[in-house]
Amino acid sequence: MTHRIDQTFAARRAANQSAFVAYIMAGDPDRAASQAFLNALPDAGVDIIELGIPFTDPMADGIVIENAGIRARESGTTLTSVLDMASEFRKTNDTTPIIVMGYANPLHHMGYVKFAAAAKAAGVDGAIIVDLPPEEDGDLRDAFEVHDLALIRLATPTTDAERLPKVVAGTKGFVYYVSMNGITGDSFAQAGFVTEQVTRVRDAANLPVVVGFGVKTPERAREVAKDADGVVVGTSIVKTLHEDGPEAALALIRSLADATHTPR
Amino acid sequence: MDNASDTNTAYPDANGRFGDFGGRYVAETLMPPILALEKAYEEAKADPSFQKELDYFMTHYVGRPSPLYFAERLTEHAGGAKIYFKRDELNHTGAHKINNCMGQLLLAKRMGKKRIIAETGAGQHGVATATVAARLGMECIVYMGAVDIVRQKPNVFRMRLLGAEVRAVHSGTATLKDAMNEALRDWVTNVSETFYCIGTVAGPHPYPAMVRDFQAVIGREAKQQILEAEGRLPDAAVACIGGGSNAMGLFHEFVPHKEVRLIGVEAAGKGVKSGLHAASLTGGTPGILHGNRTYLLQDEHGQIADAHSISAGLDYPGIGPEHSYLHDIGRAEYVSATDDEALECFQLCARLEGILPALEPSHAIPRTLELAKELGKDGLIIMNMCGRGDKDVFTIADALGEHISEGTEG
């Protein structure tokens, strides 16, 4: 449902702030612990949740998220249980958008029409499917349209001026700008380059632009938030949760959210 | 080009589709480079100077044409149809893989790319890529599963001798599919200067069609050779299938000739019913992996299942999308052979023909023998002997319970 997404960005924009987007891997390390962590995210300052769907072959992810996916799968996480987590979350929160993020095959295997209906019923707002470029996402987009779910596209430094209109056409909710050529957890691109790119994508899309890949620290989040409508952090949250536990991860999230929310 | 080939190149369509299979399922970062690759390949294909350079290297460096050899003693043993081997194991580097590497790396040269990456399972594609990269003066990085590095030691050393860097991949099952994941991660990170040389007829468009085209020399030669030797087309063309590049290379020319049966032999590991196999068409369902929609081994939740085969080159949970298409329209038949059958036929071929086949084509032999009996004396079969078995001697010794020194081979 795009209205939760739209309202979230509108509220932050009204306060002259950027939104904080946190990625977690659903089911890491197990269902109960992951559910508790998910439920705690809004109070820690998270505006939008990206809920990772584990996949055996995560080609765009670094080792931290790949290993989180292995833990999640070993604890029995499936696409259905990821949606169950969203349902559970919705029992106590009806405002924070949940975007599921992952790879095409689990959705394709369930069937796009069935998945869209199940996601809608679970209170999911949209999806980012890394290996469905505009050329291949038509069937899923059609299924999402029926339920007013947002299929969020990725724009990257290789998305040139000729291609950008094709990428942003048909995207809903926001555009996810991948800050550098690489995989999740790599180092960040030059700040000036990102400013320029965010402006370029926002002008083409007329939608909020969130920036992800490579944001690890509050300092970097604050810097990116000056230009971007949202800042995504994933790898360092997943890493801290695994190595130091949920309290440490929530503390990190609070510091990243505060930095992101610094008024411009 | 004759009419047969024209009909044949009708697939894939402009979106890289073979019926419902194929496509371009990659991260956005890789879409612009694969579109650029497609354009560069189309231009090269239409440029006679590119074809001339490729032909030169195919003749004088790879050693083509490879012979079409009448396997007389195996034929006697089977007691039926005449069995011919297309001897692509006699190519430089010992397998069909170099046909494709030669084409792709000449294309890379044309595109001004000097950093080559590749994935490898059995190591044959890695060796072929490293070889051509050395010849063309290019940097070469080969991703290889840690499990495969252990079972294919001679090839790992060969790649290093050829100046390539072999990077071990420990993630996932540490086999071919994980090597491909890691190569894709490298490509997405080093996209502007890197050319990804995929070793089989899989991956995002244009790879399945491009690799097929570079391998199609196998079938073109075989057709001419069988016409010279026997005055007619074969009743069947048989090849083993992992990703399916040697099979597609042999089949392509024969696809329009409906009277020629096309038979692909997948790796059944410990048996398709055991669940420990690599037979994507026999035991899989359609899904999306590594840039294409094709038959995959997967569980009920759409997670990719582990493949199992004694042959590292067949140990892959997917198959090229054109094979999925030929399977679904019924143009090609897909069967399987177990580890044990391959091992038995490896030994049979060694003793009867004096040829050590690689473990990969060893899978095609048992089905070829059965087919020979089925077709009877008037029948005619071409089997692709796509690689030589020197690289497999340690694996085979292990399987036969013998201990041989690893110190001298390589």
Side-chain angles (χ1 to χ4, degrees):
Chain A
M1 298 203 298
T2 52
H3 82 256
R4 281 196 201 103
I5 300 171
D6 297 342
Q7 282 170 0
T8 300
F9 282 110
R12 286 297 169 197
R13 199 180 306 120
N16 205 21
Q17 290 172 321
S18 189
F20 182 62
V21 185
Y23 171 96
I24 69 168
M25 176 60 79
D28 172 31
D30 58 51
R31 169 72 192 270
S34 187
Q35 185 78 55
F37 189 61
L38 171 66
N39 293 353
L41 293 176
D43 283 347
V46 174
D47 298 306
I48 296 174
I49 296 163
E50 281 181 13
L51 190 58
I53 304 163
F55 183 51
T56 35
D57 294 84
M59 292 166 293
D61 286 303
I63 192 73
V64 170
I65 291 183
E66 173 159 28
N67 284 340
I70 291 170
R71 291 191 295 272
R73 284 189 291 108
E74 284 175 350
S75 75
T77 309
T78 64
L79 182 54
T80 306
S81 76
V82 175
L83 297 181
D84 290 345
M85 284 181 64
S87 282
E88 189 67 29
F89 176 86
R90 280 280 170 255
K91 287 181 182 168
T92 55
N93 179 312
D94 195 38
T95 55
T96 307
I98 295 182
I99 312 296
V100 292
M101 184 166 184
Y103 296 82
N105 198 54
L107 281 64
H108 177 272
H109 198 72
M110 179 183 276
Y112 293 152
V113 171
K114 188 177 166 195
F115 170 76
K120 172 74 170 188
V124 165
D125 299 278
I128 301 170
I129 305 302
V130 180
D131 52 352
L132 285 185
E135 284 80 354
E136 301 292 353
D137 71 6
D139 291 345
L140 184 60
R141 209 166 57 235
D142 290 347
F144 271 28
E145 279 299 322
V146 174
H147 299 286
D148 188 30
L149 293 167
L151 184 56
I152 291 150
R153 295 247 183 85
L154 301 157
T156 72
T158 61
T159 312
D160 58 21
E162 191 188 331
R163 186 170 166 78
L164 187 57
K166 179 173 186 157
V167 169
V168 297
T171 194
K172 288 174 83 173
F174 59 91
V175 179
Y176 188 125
Y177 183 69
V178 177
S179 73
M180 77 320 181
N181 295 331
I183 54 176
T184 55
D186 277 358
S187 55
F188 196 69
Q190 295 297 316
F193 178 71
V194 172
T195 303
E196 195 180 299
Q197 297 297 312
V198 166
T199 308
R200 179 174 82 102
V201 176
R202 194 192 287 122
D203 287 350
N206 204 20
L207 279 173
V209 177
V210 310
V211 173
F213 280 49
V215 183
K216 292 188 174 74
T217 61
E219 294 70 34
R220 181 59 89 178
R222 187 178 297 118
E223 205 174 308
V224 175
K226 284 179 193 162
D227 301 304
D229 301 293
V231 177
V232 191
V233 179
T235 298
S236 54
I237 293 172
V238 171
K239 188 167 189 271
T240 305
L241 176 66
H242 176 58
E243 290 175 358
D244 305 317
E247 286 313 312
L250 289 169
L252 171 69
I253 288 168
R254 275 184 216 103
S255 68
L256 289 163
D258 286 349
T260 301
H261 293 151
T262 307
R264 294 174 185 128
Chain B
M1 201 172 270
D2 61 23
N3 290 332
S5 299
D6 287 345
T7 325
N8 230 344
T9 46
Y11 291 96
D13 69 15
N15 295 314
R17 293 267 167 184
F18 302 88
D20 283 341
F21 302 101
R24 289 179 280 225
Y25 295 87
V26 295
E28 171 60 23
T29 310
L30 292 179
M31 273 308 299
I34 66 168
L35 292 172
L37 174 65
E38 182 184 345
K39 187 162 174 276
Y41 174 56
E42 290 305 322
E43 285 167 7
K45 219 165 48 168
D47 180 351
S49 73
F50 177 80
Q51 198 56 51
K52 196 177 162 198
E53 189 177 20
L54 180 58
D55 287 348
Y56 173 84
F57 277 103
M58 285 298 215
T59 304
H60 299 285
Y61 191 66
V62 175
R64 301 210 71 94
S66 69
L68 185 73
Y69 163 76
F70 174 44
E72 188 175 359
R73 296 195 67 212
L74 205 66
T75 297
E76 278 169 22
H77 175 85
K82 288 176 90 169
I83 299 168
Y84 279 82
F85 287 161
K86 180 59 176 162
R87 302 281 310 269
D88 255 52
E89 102 279 15
L90 293 178
N91 293 338
H92 183 36
T93 72
H96 71 291
K97 292 291 186 186
I98 196 165
N99 302 329
N100 167 48
C101 295
M102 206 66 246
Q104 284 201 49
L105 266 56
L106 286 175
L107 181 60
K109 188 180 91 167
R110 192 182 156 96
M111 292 173 75
K113 308 266 185 188
K114 295 216 163 133
R115 181 178 185 273
I116 306 299
I117 59 169
E119 84 295 332
T120 197
Q124 290 302 108
H125 174 59
V127 167
T129 308
T131 297
V132 180
R135 173 59 184 80
L136 299 180
M138 295 164 159
E139 180 190 359
C140 181
I141 295 156
V142 179
Y143 290 93
M144 189 167 184
V147 168
D148 292 339
I149 285 182
V150 172
R151 55 181 170 176
Q152 300 289 344
K153 276 182 197 165
N155 273 344
V156 174
F157 188 55
R158 281 190 190 105
M159 286 184 265
R160 291 187 173 134
L161 288 173
L162 290 159
E165 181 190 340
V166 180
R167 292 190 185 166
V169 178
H170 297 277
S171 60
T173 53
T175 59
L176 179 54
K177 83 174 173 73
D178 307 286
M180 199 153 178
N181 290 339
E182 210 58 37
L184 284 162
R185 288 172 180 143
D186 180 311
W187 197 19
V188 89
T189 306
N190 304 291
V191 60
S192 64
E193 68 272 27
T194 301
F195 186 100
Y196 180 16
C197 181
I198 293 183
T200 191
V201 285
H205 181 63
Y207 284 100
M210 178 171 70
V211 176
R212 173 199 70 194
D213 293 350
F214 288 137
Q215 292 292 2
V217 65
I218 300 171
R220 280 199 304 274
E221 288 174 4
K223 181 174 151 188
Q224 193 185 343
Q225 289 165 323
I226 199 79
L227 288 174
E228 279 164 21
E230 298 284 343
R232 70 174 182 97
L233 293 177
D235 298 298
V238 185
C240 65
I241 298 202
S245 71
N246 93 81
M248 221 41 252
L250 177 65
F251 292 175
H252 187 58
E253 187 70 18
F254 295 111
V255 168
H257 298 286
K258 299 280 193 305
E259 68 275 26
V260 181
R261 286 170 67 185
L262 306 175
I263 300 171
V265 185
E266 299 190 291
K270 309 244 178 251
V272 173
K273 283 182 185 151
S274 73
L276 300 173
H277 64 87
S280 315
L281 282 173
T282 314
T285 51
I288 295 165
L289 180 69
H290 292 152
N292 61 123
R293 183 178 188 276
T294 191
Y295 277 82
L296 300 173
L297 302 179
Q298 55 185 328
D299 70 11
E300 69 271 32
H301 304 292
Q303 300 290 344
I304 306 306
D306 295 352
H308 289 270
S309 172
I310 190 171
S311 149
L314 304 181
D315 199 348
Y316 180 70
I319 185 166
E322 191 167 3
H323 286 297
S324 292
Y325 175 67
L326 294 174
H327 171 267
D328 276 17
I329 63 169
R331 176 63 188 95
E333 306 159 48
Y334 294 88
V335 293
S336 64
T338 64
D339 288 352
D340 288 346
E341 288 178 302
L343 274 170
E344 192 186 319
C345 284
F346 171 93
Q347 296 172 81
L348 186 70
C349 183
R351 290 176 190 176
L352 289 180
E353 293 293 345
I355 294 171
L356 294 185
L359 276 170
E360 290 78 18
S362 295
H363 284 73
I365 300 173
R367 299 294 81 86
T368 300
L369 297 177
E370 284 172 3
L371 182 65
K373 286 193 193 97
E374 181 194 318
L375 293 173
K377 297 276 185 198
D378 295 335
L380 193 54
I381 301 170
I382 298 176
M383 191 202 103
N384 200 8
M385 181 57 74
C386 63
R388 67 177 186 220
D390 307 58
K391 69 184 174 59
D392 293 316
V393 294
F394 300 114
T395 304
I396 289 161
D398 269 358
L400 300 178
E402 291 190 28
H403 297 282
I404 57 174
S405 165
E406 295 190 7
T408 51
E409 169 66 19

